[in-house]
Amino acid sequence: MKGIVFEGERQLIPGEFPMPRDPGRGEVLIKPSYVGLCYSEKHHFDSPYQTKITQNPTGMIWGHEFAGAVEAAGPGVSGLMAGDRVTIDPRFRCGTCPMCRAGLITNCEMTGWIGLSRENGGLAEYTLVPDYMCFLLPAGVSDLQAATVEPTTVGTRAVRRSGLSVGDNVVFFGAEDYNLGALQFARLSGAQQRIVVDPYATRRAAASRVGATLTIDPRHDDALTAIRDLMPRGADIVFVGMEDYVPEASMYLKHAFDAVRTQGEVVINRIYSPTPWENVMTVVPWMKEVRITHYGDFYGEEPQLGGRARGDYQLTIDMLASGGITPDAYDPQIVDFWSLDSPTDLAEIFDGLPDSSAKVLYRVHGEPSQG
Ligand SMILES: [Zn+2]
Ligand SMILES: [Zn+2]
């Protein structure tokens, strides 16, 4: 079967691989339809620093944001059968460690991502997953939409766990996929002014479609002045999506602390840089009594909230089904998986981002009409 493997920095190689074995106990064979290109993958593709900290193994099929159909279910799997449409929560978990028992499943002591740090992922004709990774899709959610659940869920959790309240004024530095998810949930939660700062036109356009009340290009306008004009006392909450290939992002944390109000909150959704704090005057958050929180790829299924049924992943799917959030507004670039023949084809896609699109999805077995 065809698959695309990671072989080191800037080396994503399409090739032929053996079919996965038949699903064992508690396992499910998936036929991926759409697979998202995660902005974390762009970092790992570009940067030896990122590759090293997440210990990306070489020779592994990539792809951790995917939806597809169940091809076969192994012994002991209940509630999933051939033909069921599912989206995948890519985190492995043991189910028995203290973190798992507390519902903090992505902090499992045995965790790892399928298709990124452990086991072959979804950028292939077929892939094998544990049954607990599968979330059934309601009829109203397309496979293409479902392939965006994973990054969107970071935003779900960031807003759910923040102190955001109706009428708050919020600012987003960086409109990568996590912050675009958080923007949608901030809008749903009643945030009033929603300012998005990002140097890429594709991302500002996506932010406008999903609920920004103002977008600012930091290459042309002074973001802090524009924020103060609308929020004279500062923002109640600032969300930061920092990426090391975005030159302006080296100032995002500094600007976040300058833009937030006294006793406000800075939520760090993404912090990809070897020296993210280098431009921060740490006296500023200290004097302002700023609350600083981090939500990098954490999803919860806390028992007191209802466990899996009301966890961050299921809530994101439910909000897609109800139309509360819509990934269609990202206007994703769809890439035909079957047309990717060489490492150069992949490098072109990665190098084009984010000028080319706010989000890329590979179409594997998905019907074009599903998009
Ligand atoms: Zn991802
Ligand atoms: Zn565990």
Side-chain angles (χ1 to χ4, degrees):
M1 68 166 190
K2 182 172 180 175
I4 296 176
V5 294
F6 180 74
E7 290 288 1
E9 189 187 346
R10 298 191 59 79
Q11 291 297 314
L12 270 182
I13 321 269
E16 282 296 317
F17 299 88
M19 277 285 291
R21 55 177 167 73
D22 287 341
R25 178 157 287 277
E27 289 181 329
V28 180
L29 185 66
I30 301 289
K31 196 174 174 184
S33 50
Y34 283 91
V35 183
L37 190 165
C38 182
Y39 273 97
S40 292
E41 290 173 332
K42 178 163 169 64
H43 291 270
H44 301 157
F45 181 79
D46 284 345
S47 156
Y49 150 72
Q50 290 300 342
T51 302
K52 193 164 166 237
I53 60 165
T54 52
Q55 298 175 325
N56 282 43
T58 56
M60 195 187 67
I61 293 174
W62 254 17
H64 65 271
E65 301 181 356
F66 59 103
V70 172
E71 182 75 5
V77 173
S78 64
L80 289 169
M81 40 197 254
D84 281 347
R85 293 188 318 123
V86 294
T87 191
I88 303 301
D89 175 347
R91 292 299 188 93
F92 288 96
R93 69 189 74 159
C94 72
T96 56
C97 75
M99 293 300 177
C100 282
R101 291 206 306 274
L104 301 172
I105 49 163
T106 46
N107 287 332
C108 170
E109 292 169 4
M110 309 283 287
T111 196
W113 288 268
I114 193 169
L116 197 59
S117 65
R118 258 177 76 177
E119 312 294 339
N120 287 335
L123 259 182
E125 291 184 56
Y126 294 93
T127 191
L128 206 53
V129 305
D131 57 356
Y132 60 76
M133 285 187 179
C134 299
F135 283 75
L136 283 167
L137 295 178
V141 176
S142 72
D143 285 40
L144 184 146
Q145 292 174 325
T148 68
V149 167
E150 194 264 351
T152 306
T153 303
V154 179
T156 311
R157 181 149 190 91
V159 172
R160 268 186 130 181
R161 299 278 299 172
S162 74
L164 192 133
S165 183
V166 174
D168 276 354
N169 290 329
V170 294
V171 174
F172 298 83
F173 282 100
E176 34 66 82
D177 39 11
Y178 296 173
N179 261 356
L180 286 173
L183 168 62
Q184 299 208 63
F185 277 91
R187 187 200 70 229
L188 270 179
S189 306
Q192 195 168 28
Q193 297 285 346
R194 303 178 293 269
I195 299 178
V196 175
V197 182
D198 195 283
Y200 299 98
T202 48
R203 290 177 166 188
R204 291 196 305 278
S208 295
R209 285 190 293 267
V210 300
T213 53
L214 175 71
T215 63
I216 298 168
D217 177 357
R219 287 180 186 161
H220 292 108
D221 293 301
D222 178 8
L224 289 175
T225 301
I227 292 165
R228 285 283 166 178
D229 282 348
L230 286 165
M231 307 175 186
R233 305 305 306 169
D236 298 293
I237 303 185
V238 180
F239 294 84
V240 175
M242 178 193 259
E243 300 173 286
D244 52 9
Y245 59 84
V246 180
E248 292 73 15
S250 65
M251 299 303 285
Y252 283 175
L253 267 181
K254 179 187 188 307
H255 287 165
F257 293 124
D258 288 340
V260 74
R261 68 166 167 80
T262 296
Q263 295 187 332
E265 180 176 8
V266 169
V267 177
I268 298 173
N269 264 341
R270 200 189 272 281
I271 188 160
Y272 281 169
S273 158
T275 53
W277 297 83
E278 65 179 342
N279 292 315
V280 173
M281 296 275 289
T282 48
V283 71
V284 175
W286 176 54
M287 292 299 288
K288 282 183 165 180
E289 298 188 338
V290 174
R291 181 177 173 221
I292 303 169
T293 44
H294 293 76
Y295 296 107
D297 252 338
F298 297 110
Y299 328 126
E301 295 184 356
E302 289 91 334
Q304 72 273 24
L305 290 178
R308 181 177 166 109
R310 289 195 66 234
D312 299 313
Y313 227 78
Q314 185 61 51
L315 185 71
T316 306
I317 296 166
D318 293 347
M319 288 295 122
L320 282 171
S322 69
I325 61 171
T326 168
D328 299 338
Y330 298 167
D331 192 20
Q333 175 189 348
I334 309 296
V335 172
D336 182 2
F337 166 83
W338 304 97
S339 74
L340 300 170
D341 295 324
S342 75
T344 313
D345 293 339
L346 275 302
E348 273 175 17
I349 298 167
F350 279 79
D351 291 342
L353 289 171
D355 278 311
S356 53
S357 173
K359 186 73 184 170
V360 167
L361 292 153
Y362 307 93
R363 186 165 67 80
V364 185
H365 295 290
E367 296 295 325
S369 60
Q370 287 173 319

